[in-house]
Amino acid sequence: MADGHQSNGHEQVPSRSRRRFPGISSRAYEHPADRSALVALRKLSGFDTVFKALSGLLPERSLRLLFLSDSVRVSDRQFAHLNDMLRDACYILDLEKVPPMYVNQDPNPNAMCIGLDEPIIVVTTGLVELLDEEEMRAVVGHEVGHALSGHSVYRTVLLFLTSLAVRVAWIPLGNLAIMAIVTALREWFRKSELSADRAGLLVGQDLTASMRGLMKIAGGNHLHEMNVDAFLEQADEYEAGGDLRDSVLKIMNVLPRSHPFTTVRAAELKKWAASRDYQRIMDGHYPRRDEDKDTSVRDSWRESASSYATHVRTSKDPLMKLVNDLAGGAGDLGGRVRRGFGGFGASQPGPKGGRDGSEGSEGPGRSGGPGRSGSPGDASDGGPDGPGNRD
């Protein structure tokens, strides 16, 4: 156990001492955008009833039977070390009921928490074989964080709607309506992954292990070839590099994904680990579960809006910087967009009588008097395609 004692039926885990958080609310570690959506849904009268009514339509029973019949259920007799980690994570986050956990034969490293009535956790053999004990502890804590937040309900709905969108693709407007919902759910779910990463850190309480785990998911089991600082530098380069074309490509690349990119997750987790919020939790000052019913939806949305505003204000991304400048009253929108895209076309020679004495016409979007040459544009006509998406 985290403190070396047995409690609530949890078995003792021989490990270093780690702090425990009795009665902790998931609001303590949730990303503001994730928290505001969850608070609103929890306050929505009849929401749970509607979702339970949907349980007959969703393939939850089928999934449970599938994992029970074709995967290995974690217990004290099967994958005992994972069972100890699972119980330890539930003990640290004070999750009373330990969710069932399965190991599924799949070489791709992955884990998920799904289920409407009760969450179930599934990890692949690829992940189990890839990570060491402390890295795996953070992953198990990540999935228990999903369970404590209630993310499994919405994850299950997202899986169902994604499948439904494929089935109704032949309907002219039906697919568009469902994909709009799926896109919104994916944006929320990407934020929920950042929340669960924080829960994993609260369970493992080893930032280095969390960073290693994310690096391995991105680059495989070659730690001797990788460096955490260099990996985080990639996140800085990804955010700040390029022009507006790259900003658009980033958006297009991330839209179909349910998870943020790995370097982004690592940078976000390191930032949170250095924050006052994390330190307060570690000192024992955090929101309690019995206070959840008194949480204000308006306050939660205000925090979410403030978080997005701070992101836009502090982001190094060219598009976010443009949005921030325009919000601050900066003018010359056309010029800023043109410069952001590196010009609208290839370089154009100046007019006759210009400084170079060559003939030519003004570049697009420019006005000028006699003897004035046009400003050359960027010769490139677009950025490279983004890398393939991985969940």
Side-chain angles (χ1 to χ4, degrees), residues 133-163:
E133 180 178 353
E134 290 303 310
E135 296 157 5
M136 194 68 199
R137 190 182 301 279
V139 169
V140 172
H142 174 111
E143 299 306 325
V144 170
H146 276 314
L148 182 59
S149 288
H151 290 154
S152 61
V153 174
Y154 317 115
R155 172 66 168 170
T156 305
V157 173
L158 176 58
L159 289 173
F160 171 71
L161 288 177
T162 303
S163 173

PDB file of all heavy atoms in Angstrom, residues 133-163:
ATOM      1  N   GLU A 133       7.740  -1.046 -14.058  1.00  0.00           N
ATOM      2  CA  GLU A 133       6.741  -1.032 -12.985  1.00  0.00           C
ATOM      3  C   GLU A 133       6.230   0.373 -12.677  1.00  0.00           C
ATOM      4  O   GLU A 133       5.014   0.596 -12.588  1.00  0.00           O
ATOM      5  CB  GLU A 133       7.322  -1.653 -11.717  1.00  0.00           C
ATOM      6  CG  GLU A 133       6.326  -1.681 -10.560  1.00  0.00           C
ATOM      7  CD  GLU A 133       6.881  -2.352  -9.316  1.00  0.00           C
ATOM      8  OE1 GLU A 133       7.992  -2.918  -9.403  1.00  0.00           O
ATOM      9  OE2 GLU A 133       6.215  -2.311  -8.277  1.00  0.00           O
ATOM     10  N   GLU A 134       7.118   1.334 -12.518  1.00  0.00           N
ATOM     11  CA  GLU A 134       6.687   2.686 -12.163  1.00  0.00           C
ATOM     12  C   GLU A 134       5.960   3.371 -13.316  1.00  0.00           C
ATOM     13  O   GLU A 134       5.025   4.145 -13.101  1.00  0.00           O
ATOM     14  CB  GLU A 134       7.891   3.522 -11.714  1.00  0.00           C
ATOM     15  CG  GLU A 134       8.458   3.099 -10.369  1.00  0.00           C
ATOM     16  CD  GLU A 134       7.414   3.137  -9.260  1.00  0.00           C
ATOM     17  OE1 GLU A 134       6.739   4.168  -9.127  1.00  0.00           O
ATOM     18  OE2 GLU A 134       7.272   2.131  -8.541  1.00  0.00           O
ATOM     19  N   GLU A 135       6.373   3.112 -14.545  1.00  0.00           N
ATOM     20  CA  GLU A 135       5.680   3.665 -15.704  1.00  0.00           C
ATOM     21  C   GLU A 135       4.281   3.081 -15.807  1.00  0.00           C
ATOM     22  O   GLU A 135       3.309   3.785 -16.094  1.00  0.00           O
ATOM     23  CB  GLU A 135       6.476   3.365 -16.980  1.00  0.00           C
ATOM     24  CG  GLU A 135       7.840   4.034 -17.020  1.00  0.00           C
ATOM     25  CD  GLU A 135       8.831   3.356 -17.947  1.00  0.00           C
ATOM     26  OE1 GLU A 135       8.429   2.406 -18.654  1.00  0.00           O
ATOM     27  OE2 GLU A 135      10.009   3.772 -17.955  1.00  0.00           O
ATOM     28  N   MET A 136       4.180   1.768 -15.560  1.00  0.00           N
ATOM     29  CA  MET A 136       2.873   1.111 -15.628  1.00  0.00           C
ATOM     30  C   MET A 136       1.965   1.586 -14.498  1.00  0.00           C
ATOM     31  O   MET A 136       0.750   1.704 -14.671  1.00  0.00           O
ATOM     32  CB  MET A 136       3.063  -0.416 -15.540  1.00  0.00           C
ATOM     33  CG  MET A 136       1.819  -1.204 -15.928  1.00  0.00           C
ATOM     34  SD  MET A 136       1.436  -1.035 -17.695  1.00  0.00           S
ATOM     35  CE  MET A 136      -0.293  -1.530 -17.692  1.00  0.00           C
ATOM     36  N   ARG A 137       2.541   1.899 -13.356  1.00  0.00           N
ATOM     37  CA  ARG A 137       1.756   2.397 -12.226  1.00  0.00           C
ATOM     38  C   ARG A 137       1.063   3.713 -12.607  1.00  0.00           C
ATOM     39  O   ARG A 137      -0.086   3.949 -12.256  1.00  0.00           O
ATOM     40  CB  ARG A 137       2.654   2.603 -11.008  1.00  0.00           C
ATOM     41  CG  ARG A 137       1.900   2.890  -9.721  1.00  0.00           C
ATOM     42  CD  ARG A 137       2.873   3.133  -8.582  1.00  0.00           C
ATOM     43  NE  ARG A 137       3.757   2.009  -8.356  1.00  0.00           N
ATOM     44  CZ  ARG A 137       3.418   0.922  -7.677  1.00  0.00           C
ATOM     45  NH1 ARG A 137       2.211   0.818  -7.156  1.00  0.00           N
ATOM     46  NH2 ARG A 137       4.290  -0.057  -7.501  1.00  0.00           N
ATOM     47  N   ALA A 138       1.781   4.566 -13.326  1.00  0.00           N
ATOM     48  CA  ALA A 138       1.196   5.832 -13.772  1.00  0.00           C
ATOM     49  C   ALA A 138       0.055   5.586 -14.748  1.00  0.00           C
ATOM     50  O   ALA A 138      -0.972   6.284 -14.722  1.00  0.00           O
ATOM     51  CB  ALA A 138       2.262   6.716 -14.410  1.00  0.00           C
ATOM     52  N   VAL A 139       0.206   4.583 -15.621  1.00  0.00           N
ATOM     53  CA  VAL A 139      -0.852   4.261 -16.581  1.00  0.00           C
ATOM     54  C   VAL A 139      -2.090   3.727 -15.867  1.00  0.00           C
ATOM     55  O   VAL A 139      -3.221   4.112 -16.177  1.00  0.00           O
ATOM     56  CB  VAL A 139      -0.349   3.239 -17.626  1.00  0.00           C
ATOM     57  CG1 VAL A 139      -1.508   2.705 -18.459  1.00  0.00           C
ATOM     58  CG2 VAL A 139       0.692   3.882 -18.535  1.00  0.00           C
ATOM     59  N   VAL A 140      -1.884   2.845 -14.908  1.00  0.00           N
ATOM     60  CA  VAL A 140      -3.019   2.311 -14.145  1.00  0.00           C
ATOM     61  C   VAL A 140      -3.718   3.445 -13.400  1.00  0.00           C
ATOM     62  O   VAL A 140      -4.951   3.524 -13.358  1.00  0.00           O
ATOM     63  CB  VAL A 140      -2.548   1.204 -13.180  1.00  0.00           C
ATOM     64  CG1 VAL A 140      -3.687   0.784 -12.261  1.00  0.00           C
ATOM     65  CG2 VAL A 140      -2.024   0.001 -13.964  1.00  0.00           C
ATOM     66  N   GLY A 141      -2.931   4.358 -12.803  1.00  0.00           N
ATOM     67  CA  GLY A 141      -3.518   5.520 -12.143  1.00  0.00           C
ATOM     68  C   GLY A 141      -4.283   6.393 -13.116  1.00  0.00           C
ATOM     69  O   GLY A 141      -5.333   6.964 -12.778  1.00  0.00           O
ATOM     70  N   HIS A 142      -3.772   6.518 -14.340  1.00  0.00           N
ATOM     71  CA  HIS A 142      -4.450   7.261 -15.407  1.00  0.00           C
ATOM     72  C   HIS A 142      -5.854   6.680 -15.638  1.00  0.00           C
ATOM     73  O   HIS A 142      -6.846   7.417 -15.694  1.00  0.00           O
ATOM     74  CB  HIS A 142      -3.594   7.169 -16.672  1.00  0.00           C
ATOM     75  CG  HIS A 142      -4.203   7.757 -17.907  1.00  0.00           C
ATOM     76  ND1 HIS A 142      -3.719   8.902 -18.496  1.00  0.00           N
ATOM     77  CD2 HIS A 142      -5.242   7.343 -18.685  1.00  0.00           C
ATOM     78  CE1 HIS A 142      -4.433   9.175 -19.574  1.00  0.00           C
ATOM     79  NE2 HIS A 142      -5.357   8.237 -19.718  1.00  0.00           N
ATOM     80  N   GLU A 143      -5.931   5.352 -15.765  1.00  0.00           N
ATOM     81  CA  GLU A 143      -7.230   4.720 -16.050  1.00  0.00           C
ATOM     82  C   GLU A 143      -8.164   4.784 -14.831  1.00  0.00           C
ATOM     83  O   GLU A 143      -9.370   4.950 -14.990  1.00  0.00           O
ATOM     84  CB  GLU A 143      -7.024   3.260 -16.479  1.00  0.00           C
ATOM     85  CG  GLU A 143      -6.198   3.096 -17.752  1.00  0.00           C
ATOM     86  CD  GLU A 143      -6.741   3.898 -18.930  1.00  0.00           C
ATOM     87  OE1 GLU A 143      -7.978   4.031 -19.038  1.00  0.00           O
ATOM     88  OE2 GLU A 143      -5.937   4.379 -19.738  1.00  0.00           O
ATOM     89  N   VAL A 144      -7.617   4.669 -13.626  1.00  0.00           N
ATOM     90  CA  VAL A 144      -8.449   4.816 -12.425  1.00  0.00           C
ATOM     91  C   VAL A 144      -8.968   6.248 -12.332  1.00  0.00           C
ATOM     92  O   VAL A 144     -10.097   6.487 -11.900  1.00  0.00           O
ATOM     93  CB  VAL A 144      -7.653   4.420 -11.158  1.00  0.00           C
ATOM     94  CG1 VAL A 144      -8.410   4.792  -9.890  1.00  0.00           C
ATOM     95  CG2 VAL A 144      -7.372   2.918 -11.169  1.00  0.00           C
ATOM     96  N   GLY A 145      -8.154   7.219 -12.764  1.00  0.00           N
ATOM     97  CA  GLY A 145      -8.610   8.605 -12.820  1.00  0.00           C
ATOM     98  C   GLY A 145      -9.802   8.756 -13.749  1.00  0.00           C
ATOM     99  O   GLY A 145     -10.760   9.483 -13.451  1.00  0.00           O
ATOM    100  N   HIS A 146      -9.758   8.082 -14.901  1.00  0.00           N
ATOM    101  CA  HIS A 146     -10.909   8.073 -15.810  1.00  0.00           C
ATOM    102  C   HIS A 146     -12.154   7.533 -15.095  1.00  0.00           C
ATOM    103  O   HIS A 146     -13.253   8.083 -15.225  1.00  0.00           O
ATOM    104  CB  HIS A 146     -10.619   7.194 -17.027  1.00  0.00           C
ATOM    105  CG  HIS A 146      -9.864   7.869 -18.126  1.00  0.00           C
ATOM    106  ND1 HIS A 146     -10.177   9.123 -18.595  1.00  0.00           N
ATOM    107  CD2 HIS A 146      -8.800   7.437 -18.879  1.00  0.00           C
ATOM    108  CE1 HIS A 146      -9.350   9.444 -19.590  1.00  0.00           C
ATOM    109  NE2 HIS A 146      -8.500   8.449 -19.766  1.00  0.00           N
ATOM    110  N   ALA A 147     -11.959   6.437 -14.354  1.00  0.00           N
ATOM    111  CA  ALA A 147     -13.092   5.823 -13.655  1.00  0.00           C
ATOM    112  C   ALA A 147     -13.656   6.759 -12.596  1.00  0.00           C
ATOM    113  O   ALA A 147     -14.883   6.900 -12.461  1.00  0.00           O
ATOM    114  CB  ALA A 147     -12.654   4.502 -13.021  1.00  0.00           C
ATOM    115  N   LEU A 148     -12.787   7.415 -11.819  1.00  0.00           N
ATOM    116  CA  LEU A 148     -13.240   8.318 -10.765  1.00  0.00           C
ATOM    117  C   LEU A 148     -13.977   9.521 -11.346  1.00  0.00           C
ATOM    118  O   LEU A 148     -14.960  10.000 -10.771  1.00  0.00           O
ATOM    119  CB  LEU A 148     -12.041   8.783  -9.927  1.00  0.00           C
ATOM    120  CG  LEU A 148     -12.345   9.711  -8.750  1.00  0.00           C
ATOM    121  CD1 LEU A 148     -13.311   9.059  -7.763  1.00  0.00           C
ATOM    122  CD2 LEU A 148     -11.048  10.104  -8.034  1.00  0.00           C
ATOM    123  N   SER A 149     -13.539  10.005 -12.493  1.00  0.00           N
ATOM    124  CA  SER A 149     -14.184  11.165 -13.125  1.00  0.00           C
ATOM    125  C   SER A 149     -15.484  10.806 -13.823  1.00  0.00           C
ATOM    126  O   SER A 149     -16.273  11.696 -14.158  1.00  0.00           O
ATOM    127  CB  SER A 149     -13.224  11.804 -14.138  1.00  0.00           C
ATOM    128  OG  SER A 149     -12.177  12.485 -13.500  1.00  0.00           O
ATOM    129  N   GLY A 150     -15.709   9.524 -14.083  1.00  0.00           N
ATOM    130  CA  GLY A 150     -16.901   9.137 -14.837  1.00  0.00           C
ATOM    131  C   GLY A 150     -16.703   9.224 -16.335  1.00  0.00           C
ATOM    132  O   GLY A 150     -17.661   9.205 -17.097  1.00  0.00           O
ATOM    133  N   HIS A 151     -15.444   9.305 -16.771  1.00  0.00           N
ATOM    134  CA  HIS A 151     -15.163   9.421 -18.198  1.00  0.00           C
ATOM    135  C   HIS A 151     -15.598   8.190 -18.984  1.00  0.00           C
ATOM    136  O   HIS A 151     -15.854   8.279 -20.183  1.00  0.00           O
ATOM    137  CB  HIS A 151     -13.668   9.625 -18.426  1.00  0.00           C
ATOM    138  CG  HIS A 151     -13.166  10.956 -17.972  1.00  0.00           C
ATOM    139  ND1 HIS A 151     -11.845  11.176 -17.601  1.00  0.00           N
ATOM    140  CD2 HIS A 151     -13.790  12.145 -17.823  1.00  0.00           C
ATOM    141  CE1 HIS A 151     -11.697  12.442 -17.252  1.00  0.00           C
ATOM    142  NE2 HIS A 151     -12.851  13.046 -17.380  1.00  0.00           N
ATOM    143  N   SER A 152     -15.652   7.032 -18.321  1.00  0.00           N
ATOM    144  CA  SER A 152     -15.949   5.798 -19.048  1.00  0.00           C
ATOM    145  C   SER A 152     -17.311   5.862 -19.733  1.00  0.00           C
ATOM    146  O   SER A 152     -17.506   5.301 -20.814  1.00  0.00           O
ATOM    147  CB  SER A 152     -15.906   4.599 -18.094  1.00  0.00           C
ATOM    148  OG  SER A 152     -16.869   4.740 -17.057  1.00  0.00           O
ATOM    149  N   VAL A 153     -18.259   6.569 -19.106  1.00  0.00           N
ATOM    150  CA  VAL A 153     -19.600   6.702 -19.684  1.00  0.00           C
ATOM    151  C   VAL A 153     -19.526   7.398 -21.038  1.00  0.00           C
ATOM    152  O   VAL A 153     -20.054   6.914 -22.049  1.00  0.00           O
ATOM    153  CB  VAL A 153     -20.528   7.495 -18.732  1.00  0.00           C
ATOM    154  CG1 VAL A 153     -21.873   7.771 -19.401  1.00  0.00           C
ATOM    155  CG2 VAL A 153     -20.731   6.732 -17.439  1.00  0.00           C
ATOM    156  N   TYR A 154     -18.834   8.526 -21.092  1.00  0.00           N
ATOM    157  CA  TYR A 154     -18.799   9.326 -22.313  1.00  0.00           C
ATOM    158  C   TYR A 154     -17.875   8.707 -23.348  1.00  0.00           C
ATOM    159  O   TYR A 154     -18.087   8.850 -24.550  1.00  0.00           O
ATOM    160  CB  TYR A 154     -18.375  10.758 -21.968  1.00  0.00           C
ATOM    161  CG  TYR A 154     -19.070  11.253 -20.722  1.00  0.00           C
ATOM    162  CD1 TYR A 154     -18.369  11.542 -19.565  1.00  0.00           C
ATOM    163  CD2 TYR A 154     -20.467  11.369 -20.692  1.00  0.00           C
ATOM    164  CE1 TYR A 154     -19.015  11.957 -18.413  1.00  0.00           C
ATOM    165  CE2 TYR A 154     -21.118  11.775 -19.540  1.00  0.00           C
ATOM    166  CZ  TYR A 154     -20.384  12.067 -18.403  1.00  0.00           C
ATOM    167  OH  TYR A 154     -21.028  12.464 -17.265  1.00  0.00           O
ATOM    168  N   ARG A 155     -16.856   7.986 -22.898  1.00  0.00           N
ATOM    169  CA  ARG A 155     -15.984   7.267 -23.814  1.00  0.00           C
ATOM    170  C   ARG A 155     -16.776   6.184 -24.535  1.00  0.00           C
ATOM    171  O   ARG A 155     -16.619   5.987 -25.753  1.00  0.00           O
ATOM    172  CB  ARG A 155     -14.820   6.658 -23.034  1.00  0.00           C
ATOM    173  CG  ARG A 155     -13.931   5.713 -23.836  1.00  0.00           C
ATOM    174  CD  ARG A 155     -13.192   6.440 -24.932  1.00  0.00           C
ATOM    175  NE  ARG A 155     -12.139   5.613 -25.507  1.00  0.00           N
ATOM    176  CZ  ARG A 155     -11.469   5.908 -26.598  1.00  0.00           C
ATOM    177  NH1 ARG A 155     -11.744   7.025 -27.251  1.00  0.00           N
ATOM    178  NH2 ARG A 155     -10.531   5.111 -27.059  1.00  0.00           N
ATOM    179  N   THR A 156     -17.633   5.489 -23.805  1.00  0.00           N
ATOM    180  CA  THR A 156     -18.454   4.447 -24.406  1.00  0.00           C
ATOM    181  C   THR A 156     -19.400   5.041 -25.446  1.00  0.00           C
ATOM    182  O   THR A 156     -19.593   4.486 -26.532  1.00  0.00           O
ATOM    183  CB  THR A 156     -19.263   3.705 -23.321  1.00  0.00           C
ATOM    184  OG1 THR A 156     -18.364   3.210 -22.320  1.00  0.00           O
ATOM    185  CG2 THR A 156     -20.028   2.541 -23.918  1.00  0.00           C
ATOM    186  N   VAL A 157     -20.002   6.186 -25.116  1.00  0.00           N
ATOM    187  CA  VAL A 157     -20.893   6.860 -26.060  1.00  0.00           C
ATOM    188  C   VAL A 157     -20.116   7.296 -27.297  1.00  0.00           C
ATOM    189  O   VAL A 157     -20.613   7.180 -28.436  1.00  0.00           O
ATOM    190  CB  VAL A 157     -21.572   8.077 -25.390  1.00  0.00           C
ATOM    191  CG1 VAL A 157     -22.360   8.887 -26.409  1.00  0.00           C
ATOM    192  CG2 VAL A 157     -22.490   7.611 -24.270  1.00  0.00           C
ATOM    193  N   LEU A 158     -18.891   7.780 -27.118  1.00  0.00           N
ATOM    194  CA  LEU A 158     -18.069   8.199 -28.251  1.00  0.00           C
ATOM    195  C   LEU A 158     -17.780   7.015 -29.170  1.00  0.00           C
ATOM    196  O   LEU A 158     -17.870   7.128 -30.403  1.00  0.00           O
ATOM    197  CB  LEU A 158     -16.760   8.811 -27.744  1.00  0.00           C
ATOM    198  CG  LEU A 158     -15.729   9.233 -28.804  1.00  0.00           C
ATOM    199  CD1 LEU A 158     -16.334  10.249 -29.763  1.00  0.00           C
ATOM    200  CD2 LEU A 158     -14.483   9.806 -28.145  1.00  0.00           C
ATOM    201  N   LEU A 159     -17.453   5.860 -28.589  1.00  0.00           N
ATOM    202  CA  LEU A 159     -17.212   4.671 -29.399  1.00  0.00           C
ATOM    203  C   LEU A 159     -18.454   4.284 -30.185  1.00  0.00           C
ATOM    204  O   LEU A 159     -18.390   3.922 -31.368  1.00  0.00           O
ATOM    205  CB  LEU A 159     -16.774   3.507 -28.497  1.00  0.00           C
ATOM    206  CG  LEU A 159     -15.379   3.589 -27.872  1.00  0.00           C
ATOM    207  CD1 LEU A 159     -15.190   2.449 -26.870  1.00  0.00           C
ATOM    208  CD2 LEU A 159     -14.306   3.533 -28.938  1.00  0.00           C
ATOM    209  N   PHE A 160     -19.609   4.362 -29.530  1.00  0.00           N
ATOM    210  CA  PHE A 160     -20.872   4.001 -30.177  1.00  0.00           C
ATOM    211  C   PHE A 160     -21.190   4.959 -31.328  1.00  0.00           C
ATOM    212  O   PHE A 160     -21.563   4.539 -32.424  1.00  0.00           O
ATOM    213  CB  PHE A 160     -22.006   4.017 -29.144  1.00  0.00           C
ATOM    214  CG  PHE A 160     -23.373   3.864 -29.748  1.00  0.00           C
ATOM    215  CD1 PHE A 160     -23.782   2.663 -30.287  1.00  0.00           C
ATOM    216  CD2 PHE A 160     -24.249   4.932 -29.782  1.00  0.00           C
ATOM    217  CE1 PHE A 160     -25.038   2.518 -30.844  1.00  0.00           C
ATOM    218  CE2 PHE A 160     -25.514   4.804 -30.339  1.00  0.00           C
ATOM    219  CZ  PHE A 160     -25.906   3.595 -30.870  1.00  0.00           C
ATOM    220  N   LEU A 161     -21.052   6.263 -31.072  1.00  0.00           N
ATOM    221  CA  LEU A 161     -21.385   7.248 -32.103  1.00  0.00           C
ATOM    222  C   LEU A 161     -20.424   7.166 -33.282  1.00  0.00           C
ATOM    223  O   LEU A 161     -20.821   7.369 -34.433  1.00  0.00           O
ATOM    224  CB  LEU A 161     -21.361   8.657 -31.511  1.00  0.00           C
ATOM    225  CG  LEU A 161     -22.514   9.000 -30.558  1.00  0.00           C
ATOM    226  CD1 LEU A 161     -22.324  10.394 -29.980  1.00  0.00           C
ATOM    227  CD2 LEU A 161     -23.853   8.904 -31.273  1.00  0.00           C
ATOM    228  N   THR A 162     -19.152   6.884 -33.013  1.00  0.00           N
ATOM    229  CA  THR A 162     -18.184   6.733 -34.098  1.00  0.00           C
ATOM    230  C   THR A 162     -18.579   5.562 -34.990  1.00  0.00           C
ATOM    231  O   THR A 162     -18.533   5.648 -36.223  1.00  0.00           O
ATOM    232  CB  THR A 162     -16.769   6.513 -33.535  1.00  0.00           C
ATOM    233  OG1 THR A 162     -16.431   7.601 -32.681  1.00  0.00           O
ATOM    234  CG2 THR A 162     -15.753   6.427 -34.660  1.00  0.00           C
ATOM    235  N   SER A 163     -18.994   4.472 -34.359  1.00  0.00           N
ATOM    236  CA  SER A 163     -19.455   3.310 -35.122  1.00  0.00           C
ATOM    237  C   SER A 163     -20.736   3.636 -35.883  1.00  0.00           C
ATOM    238  O   SER A 163     -20.909   3.254 -37.042  1.00  0.00           O
ATOM    239  CB  SER A 163     -19.688   2.126 -34.172  1.00  0.00           C
ATOM    240  OG  SER A 163     -20.271   1.049 -34.845  1.00  0.00           O
TER     241      SER A 163
END
